[in-house]
Amino acid sequence: MSGSWGRNIRLSIYGESHGAAVGIILDGVKPGIELDMDFIERQMERRAPGRDSISTSRREQDKVQILSGIKDGVTTGTPINCMIRNQDTRSADYSKQKIIFRPSHSDHTGYVKYRGFNDHRGGGHFSGRITAGLVFAGAFAMQILLQESIVIGSHILKLQKTNEKGFLDCKLTPEMLKELGSMEIPVIDKENVKKIEDEIMLAKSKEDSVGGIVETAVMGIEPGIGDPFFHSVESVLSGLLFAIPAVKAVEFGKGFQFADYEGSQINDEPYMCEDDIKYRSNNNGGVLGGITNGMPLVFKVGVKPTASIGKTQNSVDMEKREDVEFRITGRHDPCIAKRIIPVIESVTALALLDMIMEGKKWD
Ligand SMILES: Cc1cc2nc3c(=O)[nH]c(=O)nc-3n(C[C@H](O)[C@H](O)[C@H](O)COP(=O)(O)O)c2cc1C
């Protein structure tokens, strides 16, 4: 089933938004790795709900409980089960969603797929809450990658009228990516923090929501990671990125902009840098033939406006089998672009770790 992923590290994700807990089982990790719990907690905190006025007011501690696979803070090599309990649930808010489907949410498709047995409360297994386990596993993967000097960072490239310059137009450094990781609202131009907050607060005041584009870069990756065709870096990574709820687009390097150029204007030309090969530009976002070329991996993720909004909308009533107007109650994120960033970085780390492990099979 779709709840499992991975060739070398294997993930099994579980839980429902208003069930007892959410979590992840992470298998294939070698013994003897010391967990950096401070880093993991910081990543969990970045994703957690209820931390500010621009996110949902559902307040969860998001404390991880490790049930297996770690002893005295060190991996044992057996499956790691990380559980995060749900505490602040208000299931009554969702009583209508079983029969009246939220527009742009998964209530209809979940109902059809699971023959009406799906747990609809808070979006059930489709909820953004399920990504908490991914962030635990991803933070752990990031920690391992960091030991190989691989650094991941992201910023909000676009949100309504607020735009930033992209990573391909900046002089990227690992320090810059690390600094972005420490910011509440990660942006290159600090003046955009307030603008983004204002845009989200405006949407919230209108009981509406907004989407955004997140851009992510990875520095320090060796050339030669990934495979052609089905396990290309783009295929593996976008497979995981599209697993994140609310992600509707992924673009590598110049992506759709390639249509505006001629090859002579956009080709990434290699040159000799001492004994290494480097590239004069990075329009392909660090991947050629599905394999990393040693340049930073750069991609964008399109996040849709949160489906659950307070405004009156049109839908269908499954019981009466008729069209209805209705309003959604409950607590929701007016914008997901901020909370989704640690999730994007987590799946990036997991995809890369899995591909790096695959590459090591030849050693
Ligand atoms: C961290 C995070 C938080 C989310 N919070 C909400 C929310 O409060 N309300 C909502 O309608 N959707 C929220 N979503 C998105 C929905 O889960 C998602 O739109 C829904 O399952 C339908 O899937 P799709 O948008 O990928 O098609 C969130 C997603 C993430 C990653």
Side-chain angles (χ1 to χ4, degrees):
M1 296 300 284
S2 70
S4 299
W5 176 91
R7 286 185 293 172
N8 298 289
I9 40 167
R10 284 173 303 280
L11 304 174
S12 290
I13 198 160
Y14 64 86
E16 283 82 26
S17 179
H18 289 203
V22 298
I24 203 153
I25 298 175
L26 175 61
D27 197 3
V29 174
K30 67 179 182 187
I33 304 174
E34 197 172 329
L35 245 65
D36 181 346
M37 271 322 280
D38 290 342
F39 178 70
I40 290 173
E41 274 171 20
R42 159 87 189 119
Q43 287 295 100
M44 296 294 293
E45 177 85 8
R46 286 176 78 203
R47 195 219 66 91
R51 296 299 189 270
D52 53 40
S53 55
I54 59 168
S55 302
T56 172
S57 56
R58 177 172 175 177
R59 202 156 168 83
E60 292 283 358
Q61 287 303 311
D62 275 4
K63 283 272 168 253
V64 300
Q65 222 174 319
I66 296 171
L67 304 183
S68 68
I70 310 277
K71 188 173 167 294
D72 303 327
V74 178
T75 58
T76 60
T78 54
I80 301 169
N81 184 343
C82 160
M83 184 183 73
I84 302 118
R85 285 201 180 277
N86 295 324
Q87 286 164 327
D88 186 17
T89 55
R90 272 202 228 148
S91 302
D93 290 341
Y94 292 88
S95 53
K96 277 193 293 188
Q97 262 71 76
K98 185 90 184 167
I99 46 165
I100 303 179
F101 303 139
R102 286 171 293 173
S104 257
H105 214 294
S106 54
D107 300 328
H108 172 219
T109 52
Y111 183 91
V112 174
K113 171 83 186 170
Y114 296 107
R115 301 166 187 182
F117 290 104
N118 56 311
D119 182 349
H120 68 286
R121 300 166 304 162
H125 191 62
F126 296 90
S127 164
R129 174 122 196 92
I130 311 307
T131 60
L134 269 180
V135 172
F136 166 82
F140 181 51
M142 278 169 96
Q143 188 200 316
I144 297 172
L145 295 181
L146 210 51
Q147 286 165 5
E148 299 188 23
S149 302
I150 298 174
V151 183
I152 304 173
S154 313
H155 69 130
I156 299 179
L157 178 71
K158 179 169 171 58
L159 195 145
Q160 294 289 98
K161 292 193 199 75
T162 308
N163 283 291
E164 291 234 289
K165 64 177 171 187
F167 282 142
L168 295 178
D169 299 319
C170 294
K171 191 173 165 8
L172 263 185
T173 61
E175 291 67 36
M176 175 182 174
L177 296 183
K178 281 183 192 160
E179 193 197 342
L180 287 170
S182 68
M183 294 172 74
E184 279 302 314
I185 295 186
V187 280
I188 297 169
D189 177 354
K190 308 264 185 325
E191 285 186 9
N192 284 336
V193 170
K194 172 95 177 59
K195 289 184 190 168
I196 286 174
E197 277 173 344
D198 288 350
E199 299 274 20
I200 299 174
M201 289 309 283
L202 178 65
K204 189 177 173 183
S205 70
K206 294 190 290 184
E207 297 200 84
D208 218 326
S209 63
V210 285
I213 302 176
V214 173
E215 190 182 37
T216 299
V218 188
M219 296 192 75
I221 323 171
E222 295 277 304
I225 309 297
D227 292 286
F229 295 100
F230 308 120
H231 290 105
S232 72
V233 170
E234 292 109 318
S235 328
V236 175
L237 188 47
S238 52
L240 272 190
L241 288 166
F242 279 121
I244 305 174
V247 168
K248 290 294 169 185
V250 176
E251 185 189 68
F252 287 86
K254 286 273 197 258
F256 290 105
Q257 286 179 51
F258 276 118
D260 299 331
Y261 294 93
E262 290 171 2
S264 57
Q265 297 171 301
I266 203 90
N267 282 349
D268 291 325
E269 295 177 334
Y271 68 95
M272 289 310 301
C273 178
E274 292 166 12
D275 236 8
D276 263 355
I277 291 179
K278 291 214 186 302
Y279 288 82
R280 291 181 205 278
S281 54
N282 191 21
N283 298 318
N284 286 277
V287 190
L288 290 169
I291 300 167
T292 55
N293 64 2
M295 295 294 281
L297 181 63
V298 178
F299 59 90
K300 300 185 189 83
V301 176
V303 183
K304 76 185 194 185
T306 320
S308 306
I309 54 173
K311 282 195 158 160
T312 303
Q313 298 182 85
N314 297 303
S315 186
V316 289
D317 185 317
M318 267 299 284
E319 236 165 45
K320 297 183 188 146
R321 301 200 79 79
E322 62 183 31
D323 295 345
V324 285
E325 268 194 354
F326 88 123
R327 287 188 68 229
I328 295 168
T329 50
R331 300 162 296 171
H332 303 282
D333 288 291
C335 179
I336 303 164
K338 175 189 170 224
R339 288 185 59 214
I340 208 168
I341 289 176
V343 189
I344 291 172
E345 294 176 354
S346 292
V347 300
T348 304
L350 289 160
L352 285 173
L353 184 60
D354 197 66
M355 289 186 281
I356 290 170
M357 286 165 81
E358 185 70 19
K360 286 189 176 155
K361 285 181 178 167
W362 279 359
D363 292 344

